[in-house]
Amino acid sequence: MASKAKVAANRRRERTVARYAAKRAGLKELARTAPTFEERMDALKQLQKLPRDASPVRLRNRDSVDGRPRGYLRKAGVSRVRFRGLAHDGYLPGITKSSW
């Protein structure tokens, strides 16, 4: 079980990323396609003034149930530990224990 503070901080970052997504995308596009060097530099300065947590890179994939940060499986949205338990209990359709 992850600490509640870490899970809460990640949720706060998700909201911040969503809030600034459009502005961030516009500035990145302007920095990439601006006709003059000065306009590019101005767009990059504005991009740097955005909050650090507005960057999607700062998000961490976490288990949706207990917030575990390691061993996250994207397909199920849970950690490897919880995935195994859910699979054994039959809550994940199409997942069977492998044997060869």
Side-chain angles (χ1 to χ4, degrees):
M1 178 82 184
S3 72
K4 291 183 180 182
K6 293 286 187 180
V7 173
N10 201 47
R11 287 203 180 116
R12 188 191 67 236
R13 282 189 196 105
E14 287 173 357
R15 289 192 305 267
T16 306
V17 166
R19 185 181 317 132
Y20 287 97
K23 185 173 185 178
R24 186 175 178 79
L27 287 172
K28 284 184 76 116
E29 183 64 24
L30 184 62
R32 192 176 65 81
T33 61
T36 65
F37 180 75
E38 288 79 18
E39 290 177 2
R40 284 187 191 138
M41 289 298 112
D42 186 45
L44 288 175
K45 284 191 186 272
Q46 290 178 12
L47 194 61
Q48 288 176 349
K49 287 184 180 180
L50 292 178
R52 282 188 174 186
D53 284 344
S55 174
V57 173
R58 293 175 67 98
L59 292 178
R60 176 81 177 172
N61 288 330
R62 290 185 173 269
D63 187 320
S64 59
V65 179
D66 65 359
R68 188 176 201 279
R70 306 281 179 123
Y72 178 82
L73 301 173
R74 288 182 183 189
K75 194 169 190 176
V78 293
S79 67
R80 60 182 175 78
V81 178
R82 180 136 346 251
F83 180 84
R84 187 168 190 262
L86 291 173
H88 282 304
D89 294 341
Y91 291 115
L92 300 175
I95 305 295
T96 58
K97 187 172 177 181
S98 65
S99 61
W100 60 92

